Amino acid sequence: MLSLSLMLILLVLGIAFLYRRQAQYRAAAAAAYQAQARALCQAGLEDCRVKWQKDSHFPPRTSDDQLYFSYREVLPDDLNQVVGSFTVTIDFRLSAAPYRVARVTSVGTVDTARQPLAQHKIMAEFDLSEVVRGTNTPNRKYYQYINWKDLGNL
C-alpha cells in the first residue's frame, strides 16, 4: 500500500513537471515568433525606404488628395513556403510644408495557413524636405527615417 501511494505521488509530480515543461516550450516558441515578426516589420520599413529612394513614382498617388497608401508583401523561404509578411502603410497627412514628413507604419506578421502566430508594429517618420527646415542648406536626412517608434507586439 505504501509503495502504491509513493508511485501515485511520483506520477502526479511527473505529470505536473511535464505540463510545466510544455508551457516553457510554448513560451520559447512564442519568443522566437515575436523576434521573427519584429525582423519582418523592420524589413517592411527598409523595403519602403529603398523603394522611395530608387523609384521616382513610388508611392503611386492618384491625386494630391490621397492621404494613405498601403501595400503588403508575402515572404517565402528557400522552399517557397510562406514565412511571413509585412504590411506597410504610408500616411501623407503631414507631407506638405512646413512639416514635409510622411509617417510610415509597418506591421510584420509570422503567418500560418490559418492564423498569425505573432505580429509586431513600428511607426517611423520619413523626411521629405530637400533642405534643412528654415534654411537653404541641403538636408542630409532627405529620404531617410528621422523618428522611429516601436509599438511592440500586437
Side-chain angles (χ1 to χ4, degrees), residues 91-110:
D91 180 352
F92 294 106
R93 290 179 296 172
L94 299 175
S95 64
Y99 306 109
R100 304 286 298 147
V101 169
R103 186 169 287 158
V104 179
T105 304
S106 178
V107 176
T109 305
V110 179

Side-chain angles (χ1 to χ4, degrees), residues 40-147:
L40 287 165
C41 184
Q42 290 172 340
L45 287 176
E46 186 62 12
D47 180 75
C48 180
R49 185 188 67 81
V50 169
K51 283 180 180 176
W52 217 319
Q53 284 182 332
K54 302 286 183 187
D55 185 358
S56 61
H57 299 293
F58 181 84
R61 293 180 73 180
T62 55
S63 71
D64 288 338
D65 294 339
Q66 181 181 349
L67 297 178
Y68 298 96
F69 175 75
S70 186
Y71 69 96
R72 180 175 187 257
E73 291 197 20
V74 177
L75 303 172
D77 63 7
D78 295 340
L79 302 173
N80 214 21
Q81 300 292 320
V82 173
V83 173
S85 63
F86 58 79
T87 303
V88 175
T89 303
I90 304 169
D91 180 352
F92 294 106
R93 290 179 296 172
L94 299 175
S95 64
Y99 306 109
R100 304 286 298 147
V101 169
R103 186 169 287 158
V104 179
T105 304
S106 178
V107 176
T109 305
V110 179
D111 290 343
T112 64
R114 295 176 300 234
Q115 66 181 13
L117 297 172
Q119 289 186 314
H120 197 89
K121 185 175 186 178
I122 296 175
M123 184 192 64
E125 291 177 344
F126 197 75
D127 197 346
L128 300 176
S129 180
E130 295 180 31
V131 295
V132 176
R133 289 156 185 85
T135 69
N136 289 330
T137 308
N139 186 0
R140 293 180 313 149
K141 296 194 180 238
Y142 183 51
Y143 282 141
Q144 298 291 322
Y145 290 112
I146 54 175
N147 191 10

